[in-house]
Amino acid sequence: MDGLTYAEVGATGGTMPAGYHHVRARRVIGSGRADFERAADLLLAGEAQRRAGARVTLSETPMRVGTLVTMRLGLGILSFRIPCLVVWAERSATVAGFAYGTLPGHPERGEERFTLTLRPDHEVVFEIAAFSKPGRWFTRIGAPLGRRVQAWMTGRYLRALDAR
């Protein structure tokens, strides 16, 4: 896909590439069809990011492959523009989610995948998989802080859609 700042498009759906920091996290966020459908609607409208504290603009809703996602985190001059492109999206009876990859101007390089699964035992599981590395001079200098921010945001994303 044109414009992405990394070559390993789609790798959050399988074996993640070497040379990147990897994140895998999951949380049970509800039970049953109604919780799954509610969470899927919210997820594909960018609500996990909004509820985690980002200001989010989508080029289209619900998200699909090719949707431009522009987020902002922070305040004033300490606000970061975070542009991404959706590289995978799915909505079926038991799976819903999307993955976005970084575009020029994003502080990192890599991909993040958000997947909801309605399991046979009726649990609704929200999973996040990501690989990333610093993409700008300031994220290279502040890499340890960047990892803490990523872990903090991952936790916020996982709690954002919780129906319990």
Side-chain angles (χ1 to χ4, degrees), residues 80-156:
F80 295 98
R81 183 175 168 270
I82 305 170
C84 299
L85 183 69
V86 174
V87 298
W88 167 80
E90 180 177 343
R91 179 131 188 203
S92 71
T94 58
V95 175
F98 69 93
Y100 50 42
T102 57
L103 292 170
H106 193 294
E108 300 281 328
R109 290 179 37 214
E111 186 174 290
E112 193 163 23
R113 180 178 292 245
F114 303 85
T115 308
L116 290 166
T117 305
L118 177 59
R119 296 180 6 170
D121 64 4
H122 305 290
E123 283 188 332
V124 179
V125 179
F126 188 17
E127 297 178 87
I128 297 174
F131 62 88
S132 63
K133 60 183 163 184
R136 312 263 310 269
W137 66 268
F138 58 87
T139 51
R140 279 189 285 284
I141 292 170
L145 176 61
R147 296 294 158 241
R148 281 193 219 111
V149 170
Q150 184 178 34
W152 179 70
M153 286 302 290
T154 297
R156 290 178 64 86

Side-chain angles (χ1 to χ4, degrees), residues 34-57:
D35 283 352
F36 173 78
E37 295 297 339
R38 177 198 57 79
D41 289 344
L42 293 170
L43 181 64
L44 295 173
E47 286 302 313
Q49 288 72 17
R50 280 189 192 94
R51 292 175 179 198
R55 295 181 301 284
V56 180
T57 304

